[in-house]
Amino acid sequence: MKKLRNWLRGPAALAALAGVAAAAVVLSVAELIGAFFTARATPVIALGSTFIDFTPPWMKDFAVTTFGTNDKAALFVGMGLTIFALACVLGVVAFRNWALGVLGVLGMGAVIVAAVVTRASVTPADSIPSLIGTAAGLVVLRLLVARLWRLKSFPDAPADTAAKGIERPATTRRTFFAATGITVAAAAIAAGGGRFLSAARSNVAKARDSLKLPAPARAAAPVPAGVQSPTPGVTPWLTPSKDFYRIDTALSVPEINAQEWELRIHGLVEQEVRLSFQDLLDAQLIETHVSLTCVSNPVGGNLAGNAKWLGMPIHDALKQARPKPGADMVLSTSIDGFSASTPLEVLQDGRDAILAIGMNGEPLPLEHGYPVRMVVPGLYGFVSATKWVVDLEVTRFADSKAYWTTRGWSERGPIKTMARLEVPKSFAKVPAGKVALGGTAWAQTRGIKKVEVQIDNGPWSEATLAAEASVVTWRQWSFTWDATPGPHYIKVRATDGTGELQTEKRADPVPDGASGWQSVMVTVE
Ligand SMILES: Nc1nc2c(c(=O)[nH]1)N[C@H]1C(S)=C(S)[C@@H](COP(=O)(O)O)O[C@H]1N2
Ligand SMILES: [Mo]
């Protein structure tokens, strides 16, 4: 305890503090200048994105199951702690041996620049904010550490202090804290200013808000009455866009100017095609309800949503390019380097696979892919639902691998049949008597024919299905249970439109989606 107190009072702790202040300067100066460059090029975003790219599948799976859609916040906290620790070490090293400290800062600067320039759709000039930030950090570190060298109270300061030409009057601890405080405050202002500037400079959100979507050539089939489960508390059948789950590798949402957006269709095609956003607005658009599902969704999880999409059939775009024989896959790539491998045949078999520009009657929200994303019924998002899509390469599974496939996930991902119990919640306490159960089931492109409920290890009983809108949307259900006091287990399972029962076999999300019957414990009082 006493040792710790002495250490905290000693020069090492102050040097660590100097390191933290210098790191804050590196990041905030880069953030401020970065407002004039792409957001993907700021150090925090570039480092975080690089980290995500190197995340092994088990860790991604862990992050999504532990933090769900808060996985990005968790990453930022982890990064913050790591940078803090490294900055402390660097501060101490610089205090003891300035040359080593300089090497350390330059080394970290090099790591940052490497992270920046290896991002997708980033030019070498985008490393300028990081370079200037690193230089500013180095200057600040020097100023603060030099103050520590001059501090009278540290007789153990490096002996070569005089040799460094530092002969000004000795400073005090108080002036060191003042200088550090001013530095950190200035860094906070720079960071805030950077955020403000990038927001002010961004016209993309405004352009999106004022965009008028054209009327579809083929409107969505009317939604029948009774698609909503009568059980109170069940998820809305149509997911409002603001509540739609969001899963992607993008730490900062890509901001694409629709006027500059272009989709390149190339590879094994007779004719390379480039589509502008105007081409999409002018195309024969279709509107369709489709439920999306994430492959990382655990049994009973909520990484699924159902929306009304508006877009151009991908089939029509491919027709212009005319795929060559032998091609069996379309690799779609987003502006930030994510990619998905979708079977060519799926995009041509007549299902509503679209280049979507609208979601629930509005332009795509920025975080759901503005200005254009793919929506393909029946496939998990990681092999089909590319947001901010800019490139379609017609190719072969044998020749190209998509983003998650190179990270241990499957190259194909048809959605597995799943029944979900939503009411009552796991570990809920419910009164004895009639208890309303309810939830949602899905088997996109096959539809849901039956949902069954089992109490404890009793017989399976058929639930009441809500109306079916289509085989590519999810289907809700309800069931009335005569509950007797005590703890009970409720199990649910679905049968798809082809008559196939959802598999009981438990599987993890990696590599191609979770399976198994959801089981929930409730207490009846
Ligand atoms: N550009 C890009 N598109 C992407 C992803 C991504 O990481 N980057 N993730 C995919 C995955 S894994 C899923 S499940 C869906 C989720 O779409 P949503 O966020 O609109 O729900 O987007 C897909 N499209
Ligand atoms: Mo996903």
Side-chain angles (χ1 to χ4, degrees):
M1 229 28 233
K2 203 169 161 207
K3 254 190 171 162
L4 179 69
R5 205 173 320 137
N6 281 341
W7 185 85
L8 280 176
R9 288 218 187 115
L14 296 187
L17 191 61
V20 171
V25 167
V26 173
L27 300 182
S28 59
V29 166
E31 182 78 30
L32 179 63
I33 298 171
F36 300 91
F37 295 78
T38 166
R40 282 190 301 287
T42 52
V44 176
I45 302 295
L47 286 173
S49 307
T50 305
F51 183 84
I52 291 177
D53 284 350
F54 283 106
T55 302
W58 62 265
M59 199 194 270
K60 187 237 179 191
D61 191 33
F62 166 81
V64 172
T65 29
T66 315
F67 306 112
T69 45
N70 290 324
D71 54 345
K72 293 192 176 87
L75 172 65
F76 278 127
V77 170
M79 266 177 63
L81 293 176
T82 309
I83 292 176
F84 183 87
L86 281 175
C88 289
V89 172
L90 257 184
V92 175
V93 169
F95 174 71
R96 300 231 175 270
N97 184 330
W98 176 246
L100 260 189
V102 172
L103 266 181
V105 174
L106 293 183
M108 287 183 55
V111 169
I112 294 174
V113 168
V116 167
V117 295
T118 49
R119 301 315 306 155
S121 317
V122 152
T123 64
D126 286 318
S127 60
I128 289 173
S130 305
L131 290 173
I132 298 180
T134 305
L138 202 54
V139 169
V140 164
L141 186 63
R142 171 73 196 198
L143 292 175
L144 292 179
V145 166
R147 266 178 197 277
L148 289 181
W149 288 332
R150 296 203 298 270
L151 266 183
K152 265 207 301 250
S153 37
F154 301 140
D156 63 336
D160 60 344
T161 305
K164 291 195 167 84
I166 302 160
E167 276 160 22
R168 275 157 282 169
T171 44
T172 62
R173 205 180 264 274
R174 186 176 301 165
T175 61
F176 171 78
F177 280 124
T180 311
I182 291 170
T183 307
V184 171
I189 292 171
R195 297 245 130 179
F196 178 81
L197 260 180
S198 8
R201 281 174 48 83
S202 154
N203 297 313
V204 173
K206 283 177 230 149
R208 183 239 167 223
D209 292 347
S210 56
L211 175 68
K212 291 267 174 296
L213 292 177
R218 194 203 82 196
V223 176
V227 289
Q228 182 69 40
S229 166
T231 303
V234 169
T235 317
W237 179 81
L238 185 78
T239 316
S241 301
K242 64 167 178 31
D243 299 333
F244 207 95
Y245 80 96
R246 174 186 166 200
I247 289 284
D248 54 58
T249 60
L251 273 185
S252 71
V253 175
E255 300 215 337
I256 302 178
N257 182 338
Q259 256 52 60
E260 286 162 19
W261 177 86
E262 193 178 59
L263 179 69
R264 177 167 172 244
I265 308 174
H266 62 111
L268 296 174
V269 294
E270 301 293 345
Q271 171 75 53
E272 180 170 325
V273 170
R274 282 166 193 269
L275 293 177
S276 69
F277 193 66
Q278 191 60 45
D279 291 334
L280 255 60
L281 295 176
D282 295 341
Q284 297 280 304
L285 301 181
I286 65 169
E287 200 169 38
T288 177
H289 286 96
V290 177
S291 301
L292 296 189
T293 311
C294 182
V295 67
S296 298
N297 193 46
V299 171
N302 55 10
L303 299 177
N306 180 48
K308 183 171 78 175
W309 309 95
L310 170 76
M312 173 186 186
I314 298 175
H315 182 41
D316 291 350
L318 287 174
K319 252 195 303 206
Q320 298 181 21
R322 284 175 286 132
K324 288 185 179 158
D328 64 1
M329 187 259 270
V330 172
L331 187 76
S332 53
T333 306
S334 68
I335 193 155
D336 65 340
F338 166 88
S339 59
S341 53
T342 311
L344 178 60
E345 152 206 302
V346 162
L347 300 173
Q348 297 178 318
D349 68 3
R351 70 180 82 183
D352 291 344
I354 56 173
L355 293 164
I357 60 171
M359 179 180 190
N360 291 335
E362 287 181 8
L364 286 181
L366 266 53
E367 59 274 23
H368 292 293
Y370 177 87
V372 183
R373 76 171 304 167
M374 290 187 18
V375 170
V376 180
L379 302 185
Y380 287 120
F382 82 116
V383 289
S384 70
T386 306
K387 307 190 271 189
W388 315 289
V389 63
V390 292
D391 190 286
L392 298 185
E393 185 191 357
V394 179
T395 174
R396 305 187 319 151
F397 277 104
D399 295 340
S400 302
K401 299 265 168 284
Y403 186 91
W404 285 114
T405 307
T406 60
R407 288 163 177 78
W409 295 71
S410 173
E411 64 180 13
R412 292 165 201 255
I415 297 175
K416 297 179 181 178
T417 303
M418 184 69 67
R420 183 171 76 186
L421 173 72
E422 297 167 13
V423 181
K425 298 228 171 313
S426 204
F427 301 116
K429 289 191 170 62
V430 296
K434 299 241 176 288
V435 174
L437 311 188
T440 308
W442 58 79
Q444 289 93 318
T445 68
R446 301 181 298 281
I448 292 291
K449 191 152 96 181
K450 186 157 73 176
V451 169
E452 295 166 287
V453 176
Q454 184 193 47
I455 307 297
D456 301 321
N457 279 317
W460 286 93
S461 323
E462 249 185 80
T464 306
L465 287 176
E468 176 177 70
S470 80
V471 292
V472 297
T473 50
W474 60 18
R475 191 165 187 188
Q476 301 201 320
W477 58 271
S478 58
F479 182 79
T480 308
W481 169 38
D482 236 330
T484 53
H488 292 288
Y489 284 90
I490 310 172
K491 261 192 204 150
V492 290
R493 66 183 190 188
T495 300
D496 74 14
T498 71
E500 186 150 329
L501 177 67
Q502 171 183 347
T503 178
E504 183 181 9
K505 209 173 141 219
R506 285 253 151 202
D508 285 334
V510 189
D512 63 358
S515 68
W517 298 339
Q518 187 189 359
S519 175
V520 163
M521 211 275 285
V522 296
T523 308
V524 179
E525 299 182 312

